[in-house]
């Protein structure tokens, strides 16, 4: 992966966020982590991101809505929606998000979604 790529990880489960950050960092990504919608919006406004990974259930809002805000500002941003609840992933797909990561996830699933999300951008 290109080391100049930056990802925003939004997940209120600190352990999951750490795992995602560790994997992405090992693949050469720079990462920022947020545990809330409010913090994620602040980071997004301040930074340049090549990818967003959003959990659905956040303490102060919905990750699907958050991802829509990101896409409103940057329509070409690849977004991966993550959840342990299949109903949330179904909602994400109904909202137009085709890249969904079911928790718990495997390294291979995460890597495959990253590669799919970045096709043509690397």
């Amino acid at each position: 992966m290109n080391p100049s790529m930056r990802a925003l990880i939004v997940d209120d489960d600190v352990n999951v966020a750490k795992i995602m950050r560790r994997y992405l960092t090992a693949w050469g990504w720079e990462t920022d982590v947020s545990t809330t919608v409010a913090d994620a919006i602040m980071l997004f406004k301040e930074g340049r991101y090549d990818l967003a990974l959003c959990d659905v259930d956040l303490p102060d809002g919905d990750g699907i809505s958050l991802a829509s805000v990101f896409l409103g500002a940057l329509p070409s941003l690849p977004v991966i929606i993550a959840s342990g609840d299949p109903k949330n992933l179904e909602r994400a797909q109904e909202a137009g998000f085709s890249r969904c990561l079911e928790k718990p996830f495997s390294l291979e699933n995460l890597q495959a979604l990253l590669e799919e999300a970045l096709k043509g951008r690397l």
Side-chain angles (χ1 to χ4, degrees), residues 55-72:
D55 184 25
V56 175
D57 293 320
L58 297 166
D60 61 341
D62 179 78
I64 297 169
S65 298
L66 175 63
S68 296
V69 169
F70 292 164
L71 290 178

Side-chain angles (χ1 to χ4, degrees), residues 1 5 76 78 99 112-122:
M1 299 257 167
M5 302 293 272
S76 64
R99 295 179 196 97
L113 281 172
L114 284 172
E115 289 172 4
E116 177 189 321
L118 297 173
K119 275 185 186 165
R121 296 192 78 190
L122 298 176

Side-chain angles (χ1 to χ4, degrees), residues 6 8 10 32-49 60 66 69-70:
R6 281 187 69 196
L8 177 57
V10 186
D32 289 321
V33 175
S34 172
T35 58
T36 65
V37 169
D39 187 45
I41 290 172
M42 183 187 70
L43 286 169
F44 187 78
K45 287 179 180 177
E46 293 175 355
R48 176 199 59 82
Y49 294 100
D60 61 341
L66 175 63
V69 169
F70 292 164

Side-chain angles (χ1 to χ4, degrees), residues 12-118:
D12 63 326
D13 184 327
V14 177
N15 291 324
V16 171
K18 282 181 184 177
I19 291 168
M20 286 184 180
R21 176 178 237 168
R22 184 174 43 214
Y23 284 153
L24 268 69
T25 300
W27 295 328
W29 285 77
E30 293 178 30
T31 59
D32 289 321
V33 175
S34 172
T35 58
T36 65
V37 169
D39 187 45
I41 290 172
M42 183 187 70
L43 286 169
F44 187 78
K45 287 179 180 177
E46 293 175 355
R48 176 199 59 82
Y49 294 100
D50 301 292
L51 175 78
L53 292 115
C54 295
D55 184 25
V56 175
D57 293 320
L58 297 166
D60 61 341
D62 179 78
I64 297 169
S65 298
L66 175 63
S68 296
V69 169
F70 292 164
L71 290 178
L74 186 59
S76 64
L77 181 72
V79 176
I80 297 172
I81 301 292
S83 181
D85 182 346
K87 290 181 183 176
N88 282 340
L89 297 178
E90 186 177 307
R91 275 194 318 117
Q93 289 176 339
E94 289 170 359
F97 295 97
S98 61
R99 295 179 196 97
C100 296
L101 183 64
E102 186 172 0
K103 295 180 190 176
F105 60 89
S106 69
L107 171 65
E108 292 78 18
N109 286 349
L110 178 60
Q111 190 168 23
L113 281 172
L114 284 172
E115 289 172 4
E116 177 189 321
L118 297 173

